[in-house]
Structures are given as structure tokens and as C-alpha cells.
Amino acid sequence: MTADQPGQPEQPEQPDTHRLERVDHRFKALPPDADGLTTGELAAQRRNLFTGGFTTPVLALSAESVEHNLTLLQTYSRRHGLSFAPHGKTSMSPQLFDRQLAHGAWGITVAVPHQARVCRAHGISRIFLANEVVDAAALRWLAGELADPDFRFICYVDSVRGVELMNEALTGADAPRPLDVVVELGAGDGARTGARTEADCAAVADAVAAAPALRLVGVAGYEGEVPDADGERVRTWLRRLNALAAAFDTDGRFAETDEIVVSAGGSAWFDAVADVLAELPPLSRPVLKLLRSGAYVSHDDGHYRHLTPFNRVPEEGALQPAFRLWAQVVSRPSPEQAFLNAGKRDAAYDLDLPEAQVVRDGRTGEIRPATGITVTGLSDQHGWVRTEPGAALEVGDWLGMGLSHPCTSFDKWQLIPLVEADGTVTDYIRTFF
């Protein structure tokens, strides 16, 4: 049996608190003459990114590409019989969470308790935490949240000791109902978290059965950590996950739940997840097949451009990179070299350097391809640029760059202009890292 693909349950309308926040010096790149306006008031002015008083560097998020990506992944999930809990750690933006839920997401995935608190503060009622929570203070907070009968929370367990710590803290906090957990199957020796063997998983499940503050509802893991991952190795691991769910069900380990959760899926192998979870045999209860990919919302011009499964299944669609970092040329000391006013504080650099894409002429406003222009390095506040002979670039020009790795792009900016193709800023995306 397979569960229906539910969206977010109806919940009390949350105030748009981000629209009430005042703009001031705390937020990079916003127009100095906007100080004192709320972000809602500033958005209503529909300023132009290039002529509306924004200072450089400024990170822009394409409104059209974000909408395209939101639609594509939710359509893909439904087509393959998957529910979707996109990983919120990518953007940490409740505005984007709301957009994801409006597109039919089951809930939001997070990585740590702080991120769960951000979700709860903004009214998110279904959270999947892809980690084992052993922090007593966080568990006491969770115990309080469980008093809300409409709140669904699921997290990993991968050790007997972790189960002991969770049960102790939740029992001490008088949790009003058991906390739902899924046993995490590790992706292999030398991988990240997770019980390494099926026997280890069974031992963790036994510990959960003996812990009254916990309830076992399924199995999960992260296929992106499979050592030397390729399509065959990833699918082999996913079949182990299916087999673990089936074995646990046969053994009666899911007797306390009405729905069995089987969850996997990062941003590099969700095609394999879709293929293999479709092979899951019928179980004794409906199954919630939960995909957790997160980087799709903005995609990128580097790491995920190369890794996205849509490269392997182009007939399913294509994601669009939504980020563009604009910086200004502040020095042109030689014909071969230029320097920008954006560096490590502004651009993701953990996987790839920014990619020079277009130049906006400082004299005319004309936008042209960044031919012969390459970003070669980043200092804290400067970008190093190499220019080939004949490359047109002078002090005052704006260089538009694509970025690699959405997670470390979002977390450098607290308020990000959402920009339409003609440069009109329609909103400001607030992040909470």
C-alpha cells in the first residue's frame, strides 16, 4: 500500500512578520535611502536592482527561476508517487518554506533543533529532522511542542545510546505523547551517520521498542553518502533500505503506527530514489515515501548543475539556476587583472569559485556576456579577476556571477532581493541561519 501524497494541513494564518521588519544597516546592499521602511513597504516600491539605489555587492534571486524550480520538483515527486519534505537547511527562509508548502510539500526537513524552532515559529506543522537529537534542552523543547496535536515531528535514531538519551530527556519533560523516530541506515563504511548493518539497525529498533517516550514509524537514510557513489552503488543501498523496511514490518516493529515512513533523497540521486522506492513491496500499512531534496529551490551554476539527476533524465525537465551575485569593478591595475568589491563574505566558495557570466556597463547600463573574464580567487572582501586580451571591463562596471552550492550562498545574506527578469525587485527573502 502507498499513502496518498498529502500537502500541508490547514493551519492558522501566520502574520507576514518578515514584511514588518525595518530596513537598516543590518542588511547588506539595500538602498541607504530605504532606512526605516519595512521590507513590505520597500517591496511595494518595486525598485530596479540596478537603478533603485542598491549598493554593491548584491545577491539577487530570480523570481521566475524560483517559481519554475518549485513547480518542477513537486510535479516530479507526484509523478513518481513520492511525498516531498524539501530540506529547509538550504535556504532557512520561511517565505520559501511557505512557497514549497503551497506547491504541495508534505512538510519541511531540517538538520538541527534550531532549524526546527525556526519552522515552528513560522507555523510549520510537519517537520522531519534528518539527524539524531540527543541534546536534552532541545528534547525538552520538543516535549512542549508535542502538546500540539496537529504537530508531526519525525527524527532519526541510529544508536542505542541515542535512544536512551532521548527517552530519558522526554520522560523527564513529561512529553504528552511519544516522539516519532525512524532508524537511520548508514550509507556504508566510512560514510556519515547511521547504523552500519541491518543487525545494528535491529538493535536500535529493539531499544526504541523498550523506550516508552519513542515510537518507531519507519526507516530512512541519505544515499548521497554512499562511498564512491554511482548509479549502481546508490541503488544497491536503496534496496537495502527497502529490505530493512520490509523486514521490520514482517517482524511487527511498526505495530504502533498507522503509516510507515521510508525516506531518502538528496539533490544528486533523487532519480534513483524514485526508481527504487517504486520497487518497495506492499507493507502492512500505508507507506509515506518521503523525498527530502533541498538545493533545487535555487539550483546553482556549479556543483548541482553538474550533479542534478535531470542531466540523466532530461525528459523529466531541467532546473534553472536562480542566484546571481552582482559586484562592481573597483580596481583595474593592469590589462590582465581586475578586482571586485565582493569576496568570501558575499559568495559561496566552498565548492567552486563564482562564474563570471555577464557585465553591466557602468556607462550605458548595457548588459553583455562576460567574454574573456574569469574569477580566479576570493579574498575576504575582494574578488580576483583575470581578463584576456580584448576583454571589455573597466572600473565602475558591474559583473554578474553565477554561484556554486546554494546552502553556502543563502547563509551569507539575511535579506535577498527577489528580482524579475527586467530587474524589478518584487520581494525580499529573509533567512534565519
Side-chain angles (χ1 to χ4, degrees):
M1 291 180 284
T2 301
D4 293 336
Q5 311 304 308
Q8 180 76 352
E10 189 172 341
Q11 55 191 342
E13 186 172 345
Q14 299 296 311
D16 289 336
T17 53
H18 64 278
R19 295 186 178 278
L20 304 177
E21 195 162 13
R22 298 285 174 182
V23 172
D24 57 26
H25 61 277
R26 292 172 296 161
F27 304 115
K28 296 190 291 186
L30 298 192
D33 66 354
D35 278 9
L37 296 176
T38 66
T39 55
E41 291 167 343
L42 182 56
Q45 293 182 355
R46 295 179 63 84
R47 297 195 185 198
N48 186 277
L49 185 71
F50 306 110
T51 62
F54 292 85
T55 63
T56 55
V58 56
L59 181 66
L61 196 59
S62 164
E64 293 87 354
S65 294
V66 167
E67 178 60 27
H68 170 86
N69 295 342
L70 289 169
T71 300
L72 180 61
L73 245 295
Q74 197 58 46
T75 301
Y76 179 90
S77 299
R78 286 174 176 158
R79 184 183 304 128
H80 291 278
L82 302 170
S83 293
F84 192 31
H87 211 316
K89 59 97 175 174
T90 297
S91 71
M92 283 310 298
S93 172
Q95 290 162 268
L96 294 179
F97 298 166
D98 286 345
R99 297 274 299 275
Q100 291 167 317
L101 294 169
H103 279 76
W106 172 91
I108 299 296
T109 296
V110 297
V112 293
H114 159 72
Q115 295 169 357
R117 291 187 63 202
V118 171
C119 288
R120 287 300 284 159
H122 289 85
I124 305 300
S125 61
R126 287 176 176 166
I127 297 173
F128 186 103
L129 197 153
N131 244 325
E132 188 170 64
V133 181
V134 295
D135 183 302
L139 289 163
R140 288 193 295 270
W141 170 78
L142 269 174
E145 294 300 303
L146 292 174
D148 178 356
D150 296 323
F151 177 44
R152 181 84 193 274
F153 181 90
I154 304 170
C155 72
Y156 284 175
V157 286
D158 80 345
S159 65
V160 172
R161 176 57 176 157
V163 169
E164 292 172 351
L165 290 169
M166 295 172 77
N167 187 63
E168 179 182 344
L170 291 166
T171 300
D174 293 322
R177 56 186 169 98
L179 182 69
D180 287 349
V181 296
V182 289
V183 172
E184 183 194 5
L185 174 65
D189 292 338
R192 211 159 61 186
T193 56
R196 289 293 187 259
T197 69
E198 282 72 6
D200 292 337
C201 289
V204 175
D206 288 341
V208 172
L214 302 179
R215 180 175 72 154
L216 184 65
V217 298
V219 299
Y222 175 48
E223 76 291 338
E225 282 293 312
V226 169
D228 302 316
D230 60 19
E232 181 179 354
R233 290 186 179 92
V234 167
R235 284 173 170 79
T236 296
W237 178 83
L238 286 164
R239 290 187 177 103
R240 286 181 61 199
L241 188 68
N242 277 356
L244 183 66
F248 276 12
D249 189 43
T250 298
D251 292 342
R253 294 185 183 276
F254 300 130
E256 301 301 317
T257 183
D258 295 328
E259 176 184 72
I260 299 170
V261 178
V262 181
S263 180
S267 295
W269 294 103
F270 55 74
D271 58 332
V273 172
D275 291 345
V276 176
L277 291 195
E279 301 171 2
L280 186 68
L283 302 182
S284 64
R285 288 158 175 75
V287 178
L288 181 70
K289 300 175 182 179
L290 200 58
L291 182 68
R292 307 192 309 269
S293 312
Y296 80 102
V297 69
S298 66
H299 197 44
D300 74 2
D301 280 296
H303 185 68
Y304 287 106
R305 178 177 63 189
H306 301 302
L307 291 183
T308 176
F310 288 119
N311 293 337
R312 296 185 289 271
V313 287
E315 68 278 7
E316 297 264 20
L319 293 168
Q320 298 176 0
F323 274 133
R324 179 162 282 173
L325 177 66
W326 290 95
Q328 207 161 13
V329 179
V330 294
S331 181
R332 191 79 159 93
S334 74
E336 301 83 24
Q337 197 171 35
F339 287 89
L340 309 173
N341 62 349
K344 293 179 179 178
R345 303 296 175 88
D346 312 296
Y349 61 91
D350 54 321
L351 295 178
D352 301 288
L353 288 171
E355 176 186 83
Q357 295 179 331
V358 295
V359 175
R360 185 177 188 275
D361 193 287
R363 298 179 188 270
T364 68
E366 175 193 5
I367 294 180
R368 60 180 182 270
T371 305
I373 299 170
T374 306
V375 178
T376 59
L378 296 174
S379 301
D380 282 350
Q381 306 289 178
H382 289 89
W384 295 61
V385 173
R386 183 180 69 246
T387 55
E388 297 176 4
L393 192 67
E394 67 174 351
V395 171
D397 288 347
W398 289 37
L399 184 64
M401 295 168 283
L403 301 178
S404 180
H405 199 183
C407 302
T408 49
S409 298
F410 275 107
D411 72 7
K412 293 179 181 297
W413 295 80
Q414 291 181 298
L415 208 56
I416 305 171
L418 187 69
V419 186
E420 293 182 340
D422 65 357
T424 301
V425 179
T426 62
D427 204 355
Y428 297 85
I429 303 301
R430 183 71 157 95
T431 64
F432 292 85
F433 285 96

